[in-house]
Amino acid sequence: MNDLLPTLMSLRNMMAEMNRKNLDLKRITKTASLLLLSGLSRNSIPHQIVDRCLNEQHPDGGWVSTVDTMWNAFFLKLVDEIGSRAAVQKALGFISFQENKHGLWGRSQRDISRIPVTGILFYLFPELANEEKLSLLEELWKSEKNSLTYKASYTLMAFGTAGYNPKDKNLIDDTLEWLRENQRNDGGFAPWKNHPAAPDVFCTSIALLGLLQYKESIPTEVFQKSYRWIMDNRLPEGIWPFHEIEDGASWALYALSQLLKYNMVTA
């Protein structure tokens, strides 16, 4: 875990700075959540973030949008203080109300169903992922199958966490094979293998988290190559060149911590 300390320290500093500047709450709670999932102690999270999160929740249980509400509620779930538990339940009520006419979630109730919203929602809150909803996600992924690496991974994250067995018996194996085939030779992932953009830390980290749901089916060298890509592309400050710096670094930290937790790589 010592290899992760530069990233952890940089993210702690960024989280505190975003909090001081009163930036977008979701950016702060998402960073804090991924830090907590990566092993950071709850005592290391400034309590002002908890207070702000509780104070900015609207009477209907939501914050700004479905995605904001999802991350803010998940942060409060991880903090697990007596005062935050009721807020989480209200937030889940709001999220349930934001279900669209197709039975899944997008940015709002009026939006189309989106795998990056529904998939991560089920990963963070598996209690919302009943058989009917997971079946709808299965159909959504089949309609977009082999499109984007992160959509494949979000689907795998949802299925794996919920223990869902798709109606299409080959779907998980096919998705894992497609995702593996889209790993570039250097170990990184882009939106797809031949995408004109270079691999980035977000796509690579999310791909790893999807593959880790079915780690017994994945050769170790797949994980080792991506681990090396992430570490080789890390800047001295412990971050990666990515548009929202804390977002790329947070997902990387979490993916790396999971690889080490399950002994999938040699550091």
Side-chain angles (χ1 to χ4, degrees):
M1 290 294 287
N2 286 338
D3 285 345
L4 306 186
L5 284 177
T7 301
L8 190 147
M9 296 305 297
S10 287
L11 282 169
R12 282 186 64 184
N13 291 337
M14 282 190 278
M15 176 185 64
E17 182 67 12
M18 288 189 293
N19 184 46
R20 280 193 295 271
K21 292 181 176 178
N22 204 37
L23 297 185
D24 178 22
L25 179 60
K26 187 259 292 182
R27 291 179 64 184
I28 300 169
T29 58
K30 185 177 182 182
T31 301
S33 294
L34 291 169
L35 279 167
L36 290 168
L37 288 176
S38 302
L40 185 70
S41 167
R42 285 185 296 172
N43 295 329
S44 299
I45 304 295
H47 203 273
Q48 298 95 315
I49 298 175
V50 179
D51 292 338
R52 181 182 169 192
C53 206
L54 292 170
N55 290 335
E56 292 187 11
Q57 186 177 30
H58 291 275
D60 63 4
W63 279 267
V64 176
S65 68
T66 303
V67 175
D68 291 74
T69 300
M70 173 177 69
W71 280 108
N72 294 342
F74 185 65
F75 168 68
L76 292 175
K77 176 183 175 181
L78 291 177
V79 170
D80 192 31
E81 294 182 356
I82 293 175
S84 68
R85 294 169 193 167
V88 173
Q89 291 307 308
K90 285 180 64 178
L92 292 180
F94 174 84
I95 290 171
S96 295
F97 183 73
Q98 293 303 307
E99 176 187 310
N100 64 23
K101 63 183 180 181
H102 303 293
L104 294 177
W105 285 267
R107 298 190 187 102
S108 72
Q109 190 181 48
R110 299 186 178 98
D111 197 13
I112 61 171
S113 300
R114 296 183 185 271
I115 292 173
V117 178
T118 300
I120 195 63
L121 175 63
F122 289 168
Y123 183 69
L124 301 180
F125 292 100
E127 61 267 37
L128 298 178
N130 59 34
E131 191 80 9
E132 178 186 359
K133 300 298 183 191
L134 288 161
S135 178
L136 291 172
L137 178 60
E138 175 182 350
E139 292 306 312
L140 180 60
W141 168 237
K142 288 176 72 173
S143 74
E144 301 188 34
K145 190 178 174 184
N146 301 352
S147 55
L148 295 165
T149 56
Y150 55 84
K151 288 188 177 183
S153 292
Y154 282 136
T155 303
L156 293 170
M157 289 164 71
F159 288 173
T161 302
Y164 177 67
N165 295 313
K167 296 174 183 176
D168 181 341
K169 303 303 182 184
N170 297 318
L171 185 62
I172 288 176
D173 287 342
D174 290 348
T175 303
L176 290 170
E177 182 179 1
W178 180 80
L179 194 53
R180 283 180 52 197
E181 289 173 350
N182 277 269
Q183 184 183 42
R184 295 196 180 178
N185 293 336
D186 61 4
F189 285 83
W192 62 83
K193 188 168 186 177
N194 295 319
H195 194 283
D200 64 60
V201 69
F202 169 78
C203 287
T204 304
S205 300
I206 295 296
L208 285 172
L209 291 169
L211 294 169
L212 278 168
Q213 299 302 311
Y214 302 91
K215 54 188 179 295
E216 298 83 3
S217 302
I218 306 300
T220 303
E221 57 264 28
V222 172
F223 295 116
Q224 189 70 45
K225 284 175 65 177
S226 286
Y227 174 81
R228 286 267 48 101
W229 184 93
I230 292 175
M231 297 303 291
D232 289 347
N233 285 275
R234 186 172 65 169
L235 301 175
E237 310 86 70
I239 59 176
W240 288 262
F242 192 69
H243 173 57
E244 283 194 357
I245 295 175
E246 84 285 348
D247 193 47
S250 297
W251 282 115
L253 178 67
Y254 180 45
L256 292 171
S257 72
Q258 293 299 290
L259 288 174
L260 295 173
K261 175 182 176 180
Y262 293 112
N263 298 312
M264 302 308 296
V265 296
T266 302

